[in-house]
Amino acid sequence: MYVTAAILSVLLALVSLAAGAPKALLKGDVSAGLQSHMGLGAGLVRFVGLAEVAAAVGLIVGLFWQPLGIAAAIGFAITMVGAVGFHAKAGDYADPATRGNAMAPFPLILLSVATAVTLGLAM
């Protein structure tokens, strides 16, 4: 079970780092899109990016101390639930042009829950 937990943790950490780093640095199209399309301030975008980067770090450290990995996976899932809320508020699920990007948080929520569960079982 530990091998599965490690694979899921590393995969989720890579995704979390790839999603969070540009937001934390306020670089790239995603950061600009969150600010213009969703009306988020630069501070909130940076905060979300730092939370995603912190989740990545917590998932990697959580390979050695599982309670931290579980907390990081749950925290990332909560962040993705928030993303679903912001996408819904912006009307992205009703617009076919933006629906594809807005669907990304759903598999990440599932991956986060699977990671937390397997880390818990690996303890």
Side-chain angles (χ1 to χ4, degrees):
M1 187 57 72
Y2 180 77
V3 173
T4 304
I7 291 169
L8 291 175
S9 292
V10 169
L11 180 63
L12 187 60
L14 290 173
V15 169
S16 179
L17 184 63
K23 292 175 198 159
L25 299 172
L26 297 176
K27 302 277 184 189
D29 295 338
V30 173
S31 178
L34 289 173
Q35 291 178 28
S36 64
H37 173 66
M38 291 196 181
L40 301 179
L44 183 57
V45 172
R46 180 168 278 153
F47 176 77
V48 169
L50 290 173
E52 291 173 347
V53 170
V57 171
L59 286 160
I60 296 303
V61 174
L63 292 172
F64 306 101
W65 190 51
Q66 281 87 0
L68 181 61
I70 293 167
I74 291 170
F76 188 73
I78 291 168
T79 304
M80 292 298 103
V81 169
V84 169
F86 275 104
H87 281 293
K89 183 179 176 185
D92 290 341
Y93 297 113
D95 184 4
T98 58
R99 187 178 304 139
N101 288 336
M103 296 302 284
F106 290 106
L108 294 176
I109 292 169
L110 294 176
L111 179 60
S112 298
V113 171
T115 302
V117 169
T118 55
L119 279 169
L121 293 173
M123 289 178 70

